[in-house]
Amino acid sequence: MSGRAPARTPSTLLPHLRRARDHIDRHFAEPLDVDALAAVAGLSPSHFVRRFGEAFGETPIRYLTRRRIERAQDLLRVANLTVTEVCTAVGFASLGSFSSRFSELVGQSPTAYRDHWAARGGPHVPGCYLFMRGVVDLPGTAQPRRSASDHAARTVEP
């Protein structure tokens, strides 16, 4: 044991770190790296990673990955999309990386997760509708996103 107390993120940095976290939340499907996120926060990359971890309990890239997987869960529950479509819609470039991260964080494969929710009879919004309405972006496009579950709740009859 070092005998030192854990470092605390100064309150003056929190708005900058929140700005970067909010940027991740809004742009999770886009290619993001530590350098770009550090620039959003106005900090050096190493200082940003250290302070982000202190403030939020995980690295910026782990936070980004978790947000992408959460969004993927949302889409797999309510949308009639293939796993590959979901993978690209949430910002993963590799289906293998997506599947392994999804399985690691959720405890089952994306296909098993989707099939589990489909068996429960939940609403499935057609994928073409989600692409058309901008709920899910086609790769390479930047449109505002809405939550698929919120959208499904407004568009599917009970």
Side-chain angles (χ1 to χ4, degrees), residues 49-121:
V49 169
R50 189 170 43 256
R51 295 303 189 182
F52 190 98
E54 290 170 1
F56 303 118
E58 59 190 337
T59 67
I61 299 305
R62 280 196 181 159
Y63 181 80
L64 171 62
T65 299
R66 188 170 52 79
R67 289 294 295 134
R68 286 176 172 171
I69 296 300
E70 289 169 355
R71 178 68 169 145
Q73 287 179 276
D74 188 31
L75 291 172
L76 290 167
R77 275 193 306 271
V78 301
N80 187 19
L81 298 170
T82 68
V83 171
T84 302
E85 288 171 329
V86 170
C87 168
T88 57
V90 299
F92 279 89
S94 161
L95 182 58
S97 294
F98 169 69
S99 295
S100 65
R101 292 290 179 256
F102 190 98
S103 298
E104 180 183 307
L105 292 174
V106 178
Q108 58 186 343
S109 72
T111 302
Y113 185 86
R114 183 192 60 204
D115 293 347
H116 168 79
W117 284 96
R120 295 183 77 184

